[in-house]
Amino acid sequence: MEENNEILLMKGNEAIAHAAIRCGCDGYFGYPITPQSEVLETLAKEEPWKTTGMIVVQAESEVSAINMLYGGGAVGKRVMVSSSSPGVALMQEGITYMAGAELPGLIVNVQRGGPGLGTIQPSQGDYFQSTRGGGNGDYNVIVLAPASVQEMADFVDLAFTLAFRYRNPVLMLSDGVIGQMMEKVVLPPFKPRRTNEEIRQECPWAAIGKRQKGKSIVTSLELEPKEMEKHNLHLQAKYKEIREKEVRFEEYKTDDAEYLIVAFGSAARIAQKAIELCRAEGIRVGMLRPITLWPYPADEIARLSHQVKGILSVEINAGQMIEDIRLAVEGRVPVEHYGRMGGMVPGPDEIVTALKEKIINR
Amino acid sequence: MKSEIIIAGFGGQGVLSMGKILAYAGLFEGKEVTWMPAYGPEQRGGTANVTVIVSDEPISSPILSSYDVAVVLNQPSLDKFEEKIKPGGILIYDPYGISTPPQRTDISVYCINAMDAAAEMSNVKSFNMIVLGGLLEVCPIVGTKEVLKALHKTLPQRHHHLIPQNEEALRRGHEVITKER
């Protein structure tokens, strides 16, 4: 496995697969679904079990895949699954169990239009599912939203780092645009898989078998309510720490902005073009792009809401993230939404028109 | 310099691979590139299109509302994309199967009989390379050397013996494209 900084051209889905092999991933479990199938296809083609020893399993269903992730996480392995929206809906039970049992693991969602079986075209309709907890109980998963093929590659290692730092599932929320498009990427440097001894050192909680000191019990079940509340309070304290330390975002031309667009993932790319068009007309628009959707960059949006006259939330859905923006803005300035659904993706011109109609000339 | 290009036709015409060669050639020239397919459930016979952007600057949106250049290879694509070409932009079309020719007068219109040329060369599969040759004759976005390198990169090893034929098709494309207005 040679080192190189070669600039490659590949799809976002392919970048995830290559990054996983290079980031010391121990196992991948998946089930084919458009528009994410290239993740599994690339891994099958690369045959990492012959090089790094990473295993790749095509599970019999998404339910099976997520429970393989639970198993891998329980023994302290760097494991991942990928799917698209309806498949990730099937995984929600496993995700809340992992959050409850405090297990690390990476879930990649290359979103497509819904609801239900929906369509195979791109969407960002799973924002609520991702950030509000698609499963039962009081829990959060860390949600990373890549906006480029480079970020698809870079966020794999980041996700594993965060998952193990907080013993929590991390979700990479991508979509059919970023998954299917090709652009330039430099793959992360090669990092070997951890040895069993390293796992024993780093993950004293892992259920790795007989050579362990004491018992490691991995479960999300606790029938004694006092104990269960204590566990919940521990989880909430952990979530608070994550909110304080792990908010990530990017600002684009906000310095002199009179108007603000908030957008994530592929919508942020399209919105950036809309901003270029607006700026050419002399309209001072900037953008805040949340990179973590949970924890959410609420403080930064609140700060910018004192500077701008209005905010447009651009999402490829009916308006989901707008709720988080409005919570942050607390009514100081108008916050409106523009988006498309069902696999339709807005063009830059549509966003310019929406900004003018809904915010500037309202 | 930035070229925002849409290539559209039927699935099976080699639309996506043509875009891929263009994108790789841009990569080899050290430019920024994006390749965004409108992926669909169809394979051969359905509609297919790809947006390719080749730029000296970082690229914001891989999805566009208007284009510098549209290469359209069937009537539905012409109907859809003719109106989305920027004023002063370029339309390249193959008249094969076109019943309503392009109408706009504020753009440059080029015609390429690539289907006929491919038949003359007894190699229908070289159709997309003829079109690519025509595109590069009108808009030299990337160099011929880089296009050949891209061909090596995108064609599987087992098809590398076909590269001379593809080269010939590219050359033919340069010759057969004609300006209508």
Side-chain angles (χ1 to χ4, degrees):
Chain A
M1 194 82 34
E2 81 291 359
E3 284 301 319
N4 68 58
N5 296 318
E6 195 191 346
I7 299 170
L8 303 166
L9 190 64
M10 63 174 72
K11 288 186 172 191
N13 288 338
E14 295 166 340
I16 287 181
H18 286 286
I21 298 169
R22 284 165 165 265
C23 291
C25 182
D26 296 300
Y28 168 92
F29 319 107
Y31 186 78
I33 180 170
T34 304
Q36 70 77 56
S37 294
E38 291 87 355
V39 182
L40 179 55
E41 285 169 11
T42 305
L43 286 168
K45 203 169 118 198
E46 291 295 315
E47 302 185 319
W49 54 91
K50 290 181 179 170
T51 51
T52 71
M54 172 186 176
I55 62 155
V56 178
V57 179
Q58 180 176 333
E60 68 270 42
S61 74
E62 291 85 349
V63 175
S64 172
I66 195 70
N67 285 292
M68 290 177 184
L69 191 76
Y70 185 107
V75 294
K77 297 284 186 183
R78 286 181 147 221
V79 282
M80 66 182 285
V81 295
S82 70
S83 189
S84 180
S85 307
V88 179
L90 282 168
M91 293 181 177
Q92 292 304 319
E93 179 193 54
I95 296 172
T96 176
Y97 275 51
M98 288 183 75
E102 297 197 81
L103 294 179
L106 168 59
I107 300 122
V108 178
N109 182 357
V110 185
Q111 295 168 93
R112 58 190 245 180
L117 206 48
T119 174
I120 63 172
Q121 308 297 335
S123 163
Q124 296 183 323
D126 303 346
Y127 181 88
F128 282 153
Q129 183 202 60
S130 310
T131 61
R132 300 300 193 267
N136 60 301
D138 287 300
Y139 77 97
N140 285 104
V141 296
I142 298 169
V143 184
L144 301 170
S148 62
V149 173
Q150 187 63 55
E151 285 189 343
M152 290 283 253
D154 293 346
F155 287 1
V156 173
D157 193 52
L158 173 64
F160 280 130
T161 303
L162 294 173
F164 277 86
R165 183 181 298 160
Y166 296 104
R167 285 184 61 187
N168 206 70
V170 175
L171 182 87
M172 206 201 291
L173 190 65
S174 179
D175 63 58
V177 174
I178 306 292
Q180 290 295 328
M181 74 183 282
M182 289 205 304
E183 60 184 351
K184 280 157 76 168
V185 61
V186 176
L187 293 173
F190 179 71
K191 187 156 90 177
R193 289 171 55 229
R194 290 174 307 171
T195 62
N196 285 344
E197 190 45 44
E198 284 166 339
I199 292 174
R200 199 170 282 125
Q201 296 289 325
E202 283 173 39
C203 311
W205 46 265
I208 51 178
K210 58 188 176 183
R211 273 182 292 172
Q212 234 170 340
K213 287 179 197 149
K215 279 188 204 167
S216 287
I217 298 171
V218 174
T219 180
S220 65
L221 176 71
E222 174 53 65
L223 292 174
E224 175 57 55
K226 264 191 199 161
E227 290 303 314
M228 194 59 196
E229 185 178 50
K230 213 159 86 184
H231 178 57
N232 266 279
L233 289 169
H234 159 71
L235 290 179
Q236 291 303 317
K238 178 170 87 174
Y239 299 151
K240 182 167 177 278
E241 187 189 348
I242 296 172
R243 277 197 293 266
E244 285 163 3
K245 292 184 181 166
E246 304 298 348
V247 171
R248 286 169 167 78
F249 61 93
E250 189 181 76
E251 287 182 54
Y252 175 71
K253 294 191 188 288
T254 50
D255 283 354
D256 65 344
E258 267 188 285
Y259 304 98
L260 185 70
I261 287 177
V262 182
F264 68 93
S266 58
R269 293 287 295 268
I270 305 164
Q272 194 181 327
K273 175 90 184 181
I275 292 170
E276 290 166 11
L277 298 172
C278 283
R279 292 248 164 197
E281 287 182 38
I283 306 168
R284 296 207 303 270
V285 191
M287 175 164 65
L288 185 138
R289 172 171 78 91
I291 293 172
T292 49
L293 301 181
W294 191 91
Y296 196 71
D299 292 348
E300 290 68 26
I301 291 173
R303 175 174 56 77
L304 287 166
S305 73
H306 289 281
Q307 174 192 322
V308 299
K309 294 178 183 164
I311 299 176
L312 186 70
S313 181
V314 178
E315 309 169 56
I316 310 176
N317 59 35
Q320 300 187 16
M321 181 178 70
I322 189 171
E323 292 193 2
D324 285 327
I325 302 170
R326 283 183 170 153
L327 283 170
V329 171
E330 292 182 315
R332 270 184 293 274
V333 291
V335 180
E336 299 296 339
H337 164 266
Y338 182 73
R340 300 286 297 266
M341 288 170 285
M344 295 300 291
V345 177
D349 287 4
E350 288 175 59
I351 298 171
V352 174
T353 305
L355 184 73
K356 288 178 181 168
E357 283 175 4
K358 294 181 175 218
I359 301 290
I360 300 174
N361 306 322
R362 64 187 264 119
Chain B
M1 180 65 196
K2 178 154 76 175
S3 306
E4 300 181 328
I5 305 157
I6 180 94
I7 307 167
F10 288 122
Q13 279 181 318
V15 164
L16 298 189
S17 28
M18 184 178 152
K20 203 178 262 185
I21 291 164
L22 200 54
Y24 266 105
L27 173 82
F28 294 142
E29 288 201 352
K31 293 181 188 289
E32 298 298 326
V33 293
T34 59
W35 176 91
M36 179 71 223
Y39 62 93
E42 314 92 352
Q43 287 291 318
R44 191 162 303 171
T47 55
N49 71 68
V50 62
T51 304
V52 177
I53 307 174
V54 180
S55 171
D56 293 327
E57 304 292 325
I59 297 163
S60 51
S61 177
I63 287 166
L64 301 167
S65 308
S66 55
Y67 306 91
D68 299 313
V69 183
V71 179
V72 296
L73 303 173
N74 62 16
Q75 187 70 52
S77 301
L78 180 60
D79 296 342
K80 186 170 176 187
F81 293 111
E82 183 182 0
E83 60 183 61
K84 293 185 176 172
I85 300 167
K86 294 176 199 172
I90 292 168
L91 170 67
I92 297 170
Y93 78 106
D94 187 327
Y96 186 87
I98 297 288
S99 48
T100 318
Q103 303 297 316
R104 277 177 66 177
T105 52
D106 61 337
I107 54 174
S108 301
V109 179
Y110 292 84
C111 176
I112 183 161
N113 282 295
M115 205 69 98
D116 293 345
E120 280 165 25
M121 294 172 79
S122 312
N123 186 2
V124 285
K125 281 185 179 169
S126 67
F127 167 75
N128 64 341
M129 288 300 102
I130 297 172
V131 176
L132 181 59
L135 167 64
L136 293 173
E137 172 69 22
V138 177
C139 327
I141 305 153
V142 288
T144 311
K145 207 175 80 195
E146 282 72 22
V147 171
L148 292 178
K149 208 173 151 194
L151 255 173
H152 275 91
K153 180 79 187 174
T154 52
L155 271 182
Q157 194 76 40
R158 65 179 190 281
H159 290 149
H160 277 193
H161 66 282
L162 299 172
I163 285 173
Q165 289 180 32
N166 280 283
E167 255 188 281
E168 178 56 31
L170 278 165
R171 214 171 11 247
R172 190 79 188 120
H174 278 276
E175 293 164 3
V176 295
I177 192 158
T178 55
K179 186 166 186 174
E180 284 193 349
R181 58 175 178 271

